[in-house]
Amino acid sequence: MTDSPGCSVAVIGGGPAGLMAAEVLAAGGATVTIYERMPSLGRKLLLAGRGGLNLTHSEHFECFLPRYGAAEQRLRPALEVLSPEAVRAWCEALGQPTFVGSSGRVFPVAMKASPLLRGWLARLARAGVEFRTRRRWRGWDEDGRLMFTAPDKEEVVAADATVLALGGASWPRLGSTGDWVPLLAERGIAVAPLGPANCGFFVDWSETFRRFEGQPLKRIALTFGKTTVRGEALITAGGIEGGAVYALSGSLRDAIAADRGALLSIDLRPDVSLGDLAARLAKPRGKQSLSTFLRKAASLAPVEIGLLHESAPARLAEMGPMALAALAKAVPLRLTAAAPIETAISTAGGIAWVAVDDDLMLRSRPGVFVAGEMLDWEAPTGGYLLQGCLSTGALAGRGALQWLADNRRMRN
């Protein structure tokens, strides 16, 4: 795949998927230009780095794959091209050693994205990759050339191959606006509607409970359907969000779309059995207030006690120990809607898998490849999102090199 030196490839989108595609292409001898609509590259990567930059996850590959749900088998080739172990090696080659956290997540030791991004962009520049920022892609002209809106002018670019890595539609202020959807849909390319993933949800809180805005629910377990997830959540003015919520967001979002609501169950004390909790709550309360008793007997925080009041079918003081324990072990919470896509961590939906071949090339546009969140997949937080973007970028880059090489051999 290195017998196509000098072939020009346009990579549209300067996020992780686009940058990885550019790296693979440049290593294969292609002349690469990255076009980015924002003034600088990797803005969403830098935002992710504020939380420590969770690169990937250390779990066994066959356990890793199912995290991608329905897209598992379509993403397998990409994850085999650039595996979690390969991502760690790639990061360390950029001078950023990694470590595995207690949860199995992988982070750079620096716990920041900026040193990694600086090193990455410098290496791409040394490989001859050109960066053109403030370029908004507007599709193709009648001759198949790429059209861009640049500052104070319009540009038309002819490229031997193209990699589209424009992201989804979450955090649009960082550049992922989803405005590519009509550009592709009008050309007959199947695109599943974009929706929020790893998102929060709205709840019709009472005015009394709204005072707990910003309070965390720690060491809880959330159950929806047959799936239970342990972790934490955060009460917001309009609902609930957080890692445990994000892990269930896909099924919750789909249920709300189908039934106009979803009933989430919260176990406030997952490490205590129902019987043990009931026994604790059966002890004499004496002169303690109910809140003080619940705090001491069941180790419930004020926000958790407030949640019990919010969800109880009757006054808590009128409930017996077993009923109160049962409520604390399964607090029902009705979610009314998913938070808007612009506030979500990532995006569901995108270019349908039937529209691309095994190398992520658009079947209806030979020489045009797709990577990252533009494709129809989603994954929970925990390293799976960034890994998916990097891996699809690597596969798209490799596919473009192979296609260029095949075309050159056919011409010769």
Side-chain angles (χ1 to χ4, degrees), residues 19 41-53 55 91 94-96 108 110-122:
L19 294 176
L41 285 70
R43 290 198 167 196
K44 195 171 182 181
L45 182 66
L46 290 174
L47 179 68
R50 292 181 182 178
L53 192 60
L55 288 167
C91 186
L94 285 170
Q96 298 299 313
M111 292 295 285
K112 295 179 181 179
S114 52
L116 177 67
L117 183 60
R118 282 196 301 270
W120 196 4
L121 294 179

Side-chain angles (χ1 to χ4, degrees), residues 80-112:
E80 289 175 339
V81 166
L82 186 70
S83 68
E85 292 79 10
V87 166
R88 294 189 69 183
W90 163 82
C91 186
E92 294 186 9
L94 285 170
Q96 298 299 313
T98 62
F99 74 96
V100 179
S102 58
S103 63
R105 301 181 181 195
V106 176
F107 301 88
V109 171
M111 292 295 285
K112 295 179 181 179

